Amino acid sequence: NKRFSIFCIMGIFCISLVYPKTPLKNRFIIGVDGLSSLDSNKQLTGILFHGGYNLFSKKINFISIEPKIGVGYFEGKKENKFNSTPISNYKINCISGGLSPKLNLALNPDENAFIFLENDFSVMNVQAKINDKGSLSTRTVNENFIFYYTIKVGLIFQLSKRSGLGLWVGGTTLKFDDLLNKGVPLSKEHYSSEAPSYCIGISLYL
């Protein structure tokens, strides 16, 4: 959402004028993300485990970038919107990698709580096993590169001099439509808006 992004950037910029300190520079980050679609007819959920390293700019000390890699699993089921009859189901395994520029700013003069805005640009290598309606067999499809963007807004709480805990919420452009419709005739394609658009996560800074 463009307005939401602008609001977050302006808010963090205002905070930086008051508390310009930054958290836990150059730390390893281990995290887990939960993703979900709010469409009750699709029941798409997923989980991503990832690790990275938070690199800070020497000249602009509240900007960092995190290279990261991860693995994940998604599961989805489509139901008839009128009688909840199962239409299809699928399972997806994935490997991901990306770069995440961030704004990191202190919320108080004690420097033990921070706010961050993260822009995550990632690619995903995926394999899906799909049970289509009316099919007696499971088909397997692969996609080497799915590009997606995730915006995250969260808080970091400093646990000790060298460690911290991060919590965040966000939204993502990740979609599996092309993957799930792969190899299916255009006249029979029935996967649309297969997107775990909403996400939350927790991270440890070490």
Side-chain angles (χ1 to χ4, degrees), residues 36-46 74-81 84-91 175-177 180-181 190-197:
S36 178
S37 168
L38 295 185
D39 188 337
S40 61
N41 295 316
K42 292 176 181 172
Q43 301 182 26
L44 170 58
T45 57
F74 292 83
E75 189 167 310
K77 180 172 67 175
K78 291 186 66 175
E79 294 183 345
N80 187 301
K81 68 175 71 175
S84 299
T85 302
I87 296 176
S88 61
N89 61 76
Y90 54 86
K91 299 177 181 178
K175 292 182 69 173
F176 295 122
D177 295 9
L180 299 174
N181 286 313
H190 60 276
Y191 293 100
S192 63
S193 300
E194 301 291 329
S197 302

Side-chain angles (χ1 to χ4, degrees), residues 166-180:
L167 303 168
W168 60 268
V169 296
T172 180
T173 63
L174 180 62
K175 292 182 69 173
F176 295 122
D177 295 9
D178 291 343
L179 171 73
L180 299 174

Side-chain angles (χ1 to χ4, degrees), residues 87-104:
I87 296 176
S88 61
N89 61 76
Y90 54 86
K91 299 177 181 178
I92 298 172
N93 295 302
C94 65
I95 300 173
S96 65
L99 291 173
S100 298
K102 304 176 187 178
L103 294 174
N104 309 267

Side-chain angles (χ1 to χ4, degrees), residues 45-81:
T45 57
I47 189 168
L48 286 171
F49 299 94
H50 55 84
Y53 192 77
N54 212 23
L55 298 166
F56 273 79
S57 167
K58 292 182 179 180
K59 294 184 178 180
I60 308 175
N61 67 359
F62 57 85
I63 292 179
S64 68
I65 187 167
E66 179 195 351
K68 64 174 67 174
I69 57 173
V71 295
Y73 174 80
F74 292 83
E75 189 167 310
K77 180 172 67 175
K78 291 186 66 175
E79 294 183 345
N80 187 301
K81 68 175 71 175

